[in-house]
Amino acid sequence: MDADTLIAAVSILTAGLTIAIGSIGPALAEGRAASQALQALAQQPDASATITRTLFVSLAMIESTAIYCFVVAMILIFANPFTDLVTQPAGG
Amino acid sequence: MDADTLIAAVSILTAGLTIAIGSIGPALAEGRAASQALQALAQQPDASATITRTLFVSLAMIESTAIYCFVVAMILIFANPFTDLVTQPAGG
Amino acid sequence: MDADTLIAAVSILTAGLTIAIGSIGPALAEGRAASQALQALAQQPDASATITRTLFVSLAMIESTAIYCFVVAMILIFANPFTDLVTQPAGG
Amino acid sequence: MDADTLIAAVSILTAGLTIAIGSIGPALAEGRAASQALQALAQQPDASATITRTLFVSLAMIESTAIYCFVVAMILIFANPFTDLVTQPAGG
Amino acid sequence: MDADTLIAAVSILTAGLTIAIGSIGPALAEGRAASQALQALAQQPDASATITRTLFVSLAMIESTAIYCFVVAMILIFANPFTDLVTQPAGG
Amino acid sequence: MDADTLIAAVSILTAGLTIAIGSIGPALAEGRAASQALQALAQQPDASATITRTLFVSLAMIESTAIYCFVVAMILIFANPFTDLVTQPAGG
Amino acid sequence: MDADTLIAAVSILTAGLTIAIGSIGPALAEGRAASQALQALAQQPDASATITRTLFVSLAMIESTAIYCFVVAMILIFANPFTDLVTQPAGG
Amino acid sequence: MDADTLIAAVSILTAGLTIAIGSIGPALAEGRAASQALQALAQQPDASATITRTLFVSLAMIESTAIYCFVVAMILIFANPFTDLVTQPAGG
Amino acid sequence: MDADTLIAAVSILTAGLTIAIGSIGPALAEGRAASQALQALAQQPDASATITRTLFVSLAMIESTAIYCFVVAMILIFANPFTDLVTQPAGG
Amino acid sequence: MDADTLIAAVSILTAGLTIAIGSIGPALAEGRAASQALQALAQQPDASATITRTLFVSLAMIESTAIYCFVVAMILIFANPFTDLVTQPAGG
Amino acid sequence: MDADTLIAAVSILTAGLTIAIGSIGPALAEGRAASQALQALAQQPDASATITRTLFVSLAMIESTAIYCFVVAMILIFANPFTDLVTQPAGG
Amino acid sequence: MDADTLIAAVSILTAGLTIAIGSIGPALAEGRAASQALQALAQQPDASATITRTLFVSLAMIESTAIYCFVVAMILIFANPFTDLVTQPAGG
Amino acid sequence: MDADTLIAAVSILTAGLTIAIGSIGPALAEGRAASQALQALAQQPDASATITRTLFVSLAMIESTAIYCFVVAMILIFANPFTDLVTQPAGG
Amino acid sequence: MDADTLIAAVSILTAGLTIAIGSIGPALAEGRAASQALQALAQQPDASATITRTLFVSLAMIESTAIYCFVVAMILIFANPFTDLVTQPAGG
């Protein structure tokens, strides 16, 4: 098993696990925030403007942690700096 | 066991686990949001327009994290960049 | 153990685990949404039209994450692209 | 250990685990939905028609995820496509 | 260790684990449904006919997932198709 | 280590684990159902006939999943079909 | 390591784990049922006859799953059918 | 490593784990029952005779599952039937 | 590694784990019982005699499961019957 | 497998796991804080200025722990000091 | 690796784990009892004498299980009977 | 694999896991504190000065445990004393 | 790998894990006790003397289990009796 | 792999895990205490002096268990007594 193959195998495994594990927390958190927003809307319909605005800002902030994971997974699949590092000296 | 086989085996395993693990969080979160929306509808039927609109936006946002996982799984199965990387030098 | 056998073994294992693990989240989430819909029906029978419509849209959305897992499992069993990839060069 | 034996062993193990793990989520979800339906019946006996109809639709939807697992387990035991794939070239 | 022995060992282990793990979910779910039915009976004795009927239908539905596991376990012990598959070519 | 010994060792281990793991769910479920029945009796002593009848039917249904596990464990210890399968060709 | 020793070692380990794991569920379930019975007695002292009778029937039913485990453990230690099976052909 | 040593090592390990794991369930269950009895005494001091009698019967029943584990542990340490079985043929 | 050393190593490991794992359950249970007793005292100071008597009997009963573990740990360290069993034939 | 490859493989695996595991806590925490803020807005709409300001400061503070993880992951992928350390003496 | 070293390594590992694992249960239990005592004091300041006395007796009883673990850890570090057992025959 | 590479690999893995695991507790704790502060603000808007001051002091204190982890991770990556220790004698 | 190195490696690992695992229980318990004390102070400010005194005694008692772990960790690092035991005969 | 390298690798791994695991408990506990203090402030603003004083004393006490872990981690990284112990005889 040469270096290229190992790097590729580890990158595939890591990319998948990163986005898989990394989607649990944000999804549950968004579910909680959205759930509470719906309860708040039912309880205080007059404040719907403030509630939905706060909800969307919060969802965006929570989504950011999922985005971090997606970015790392994409980097590992399509722009992996270690692939060049390893293949370069081997080809040099 | 040559490089192609290892990459294929790891990709299959990762693709399956990614979508399997990655569907737990979003599913539970959507269940929670939907559940709360139903409770809100029962509590405040007059606000049903605001509630269902907020629900659908939230569901779409939560579904996005499941979509990330599905995209990564599909990339690993049908458009795996590492397959070319490994087979190219071997055939070159 | 040749490449074909390994790919087959990993595909079988992954397909089973994918649909098994992937059915936990959606099932629980549908159970929660359905459970809350029933409570909402008991609490506000007059809103039954809105409640059941919202319930079915939500169930469909949640079921979609289980469908993703089922699709990946079926692809791995019946339309596995890696089987061709591996057997082709071996037969070429 | 030849290819046939390995495929058979992995298929048996996967089929069992698939239906075993895959029955946890749906069972608990059906228990929750049924439990809530009974509470709803006690709370609002007049809405029993709507409640039991919604319950049965929901149970069928939840049962579908268990059916997916059962289908995959049965395919792996009685109609495993990889068995032919592996035995064919070996006999060819 | 020949193929027969391995298939037998894996089948025994899988059959046991399948019914063992597969009985947790249905048992807990039936316990929950039955528990709620008893509470509903205490709360609304007049609706006992509807409640017990809904309970028994639900219990039967939940029991079905345990039956799936029991069927797979019995197939693996008494009608294992892989035993013939493996012993046939070995004896042929 | 010959085939007989391996089959025996796996059967012993599986039989024990099957009934051990398989007793957790039913026991907890029966505890929950019984617990709720006692609460129902304290709340509505007049409905004791209906409550105890429903309780015993439910307990029997829940116990059935434990019985499945016990049956499998007994089959593995005293009527293991794989023992004959393995010893027969060895003695033939 | 000969067959006798392996069977003995596995039997000891399994017997201990069986009764150890198998005592968790029944114990917790009996604790729950007893706990609820005491609460019911405090709430409705007049129904003490019905409550204690239902409690003892329930405890006996729950204890039965622990008895299953104890029986299997005792069979494995004192009446293990595999010991004869293995030693017989070895001595024959 | 001869047979005697292996049997001894496994017996020691199993005896310890049996009583250690087996004490968790009964202890927690007794704690729950006792805790509820104390609450019942504070709520209904007049029923103290019935409550303490029911408590002691329940504690004895729960303790029985811990006793099963202790008995198995003691048998494994001081009256292990497999020690004789293994040493006898070795000395014969 | 001779037999004496293995027995000693396993005994040390088992003795420690036995009392460590075995102290979790009783400690939590005693904490729960004591906690409830304090709440009962605050709620019904007049019944303090009955409450503290019931508490101490319960604590003693719960402590007994911890004592079982301590006894087994002490036996394994200071009066291990397997040490003699193994060293005797080796020296004989 | 040379040093470069090992460092690269470990860095990829660690970078992915760091951001994946490290996003669970902050996401859940932000979901909780946002959820409570929405409830507070529904309960006390007049204090919306104070509430949203406190919410955003808190979200920024919680996000900081996710940022730590992202920073470490980025350092490991793009500015790994150990890569130079290892390749330098090898090339020197 | 000679016997002395193995015994020493196992003793160190066991001593640490024993007191580490063994401190979780008692600490949580004492926290619960103390927490409830404080609540009881706030609820019924007049019964402070009975409450604190019962609290200290309970804390001492719970602490005893932590003491068991500490004693075993100290014995394993400073008065390990197996060290003499193993070194004696080696030096004899 | 030489010493430098091992130290580097272990340092990378440890640094990532340290900050990843170490961010779970502080993040959840800050989320809880912030969440409660928002609830307190909604309940008692007049005490907002005291509440936000106490909140920020608490957040700083909780953040300190995350800082400890970040410091250790940074030390392991950029100022690892063991790298010098190991490379010095090797180069000496 | 000689004896000294093994003892040192095990001691380091054990010392770290001992204090790390051993700090979870006491910290959570102190948090619970302190949390309840604050609630008690808010509920009954007049009993603040009794409450804080009881709190500090309880905190000291809980802290003692953390101290046990710290003591064992320090002994393992700075006054490890096994280091002398092992190095003495090796140097003798 | 020589002794120095092993000691270094184990020390790095242990130091990181110690502070990572050891920060979970204190952080959660401080979060709980702070959270309750904020609730107490909202409920009883007049007792803010007593509450914040008790809070800070409690936070300091809880922080102490995190400090223990940090101290052990720092000792393992910067003042590891085993490094001298091992390198001394090797250089002597």
Side-chain angles (χ1 to χ4, degrees), chain F residues 67-90:
Chain F
I67 299 287
Y68 294 164
C69 294
F70 192 57
V71 163
V72 169
M74 285 296 109
I75 287 174
L76 290 182
I77 294 180
F78 290 114
N80 198 324
F82 293 106
T83 315
D84 305 340
L85 186 80
V86 171
T87 59
Q88 217 171 8

Side-chain angles (χ1 to χ4, degrees), chain E:
Chain E
M1 185 173 29
D2 60 345
D4 248 28
T5 315
L6 182 72
I7 298 291
V10 169
S11 299
I12 291 171
L13 188 64
T14 307
L17 288 184
T18 300
I19 189 62
I21 297 175
S23 75
I24 295 175
L28 292 180
E30 292 180 11
R32 183 172 193 169
S35 155
Q36 194 66 47
L38 292 162
Q39 196 176 31
L41 281 175
Q43 197 181 329
Q44 197 73 264
D46 301 335
S48 74
T50 320
I51 288 171
T52 53
R53 203 187 50 224
T54 309
L55 173 66
F56 292 152
V57 171
S58 302
L59 286 184
M61 199 102 187
I62 297 169
E63 187 80 12
S64 75
T65 64
I67 299 287
Y68 294 164
C69 293
F70 192 57
V71 163
V72 169
M74 285 296 109
I75 287 174
L76 290 182
I77 294 180
F78 290 115
N80 198 324
F82 292 106
T83 315
D84 305 339
L85 186 80
V86 171
T87 58
Q88 217 171 7

Side-chain angles (χ1 to χ4, degrees), chain A residues 35-61:
Chain A
S35 155
Q36 195 65 48
L38 293 162
Q39 198 177 30
L41 281 175
Q43 199 181 326
Q44 197 74 264
D46 301 335
S48 72
T50 319
I51 288 171
T52 53
R53 204 187 49 223
T54 309
L55 173 66
F56 292 153
V57 171
S58 302
L59 286 183
M61 197 104 186

Side-chain angles (χ1 to χ4, degrees), chain L residues 3 14 18 29 36 44 64 68 82, chain N residues 5 8 12 16 27 35 42 63 67 76:
Chain L
T14 307
T18 299
Q36 195 65 48
Q44 197 73 265
S64 75
Y68 294 165
F82 293 106
Chain N
T5 315
I12 292 170
S35 155
E63 187 81 10
I67 299 287
L76 290 182

Side-chain angles (χ1 to χ4, degrees), chain H residues 2-92:
Chain H
D2 59 345
D4 247 28
T5 315
L6 182 73
I7 297 292
V10 169
S11 299
I12 291 171
L13 188 63
T14 308
L17 288 184
T18 301
I19 188 62
I21 297 176
S23 75
I24 296 174
L28 292 179
E30 292 180 10
R32 184 172 193 168
S35 155
Q36 195 64 48
L38 292 162
Q39 195 176 32
L41 281 174
Q43 199 181 329
Q44 198 73 265
D46 302 335
S48 73
T50 320
I51 289 171
T52 53
R53 204 187 50 223
T54 309
L55 173 65
F56 292 152
V57 171
S58 302
L59 285 184
M61 199 106 187
I62 298 169
E63 186 81 10
S64 75
T65 64
I67 300 286
Y68 294 165
C69 294
F70 192 57
V71 163
V72 169
M74 286 295 110
I75 287 174
L76 290 182
I77 294 181
F78 291 114
N80 198 324
F82 293 105
T83 316
D84 304 340
L85 187 79
V86 170
T87 58
Q88 215 170 10

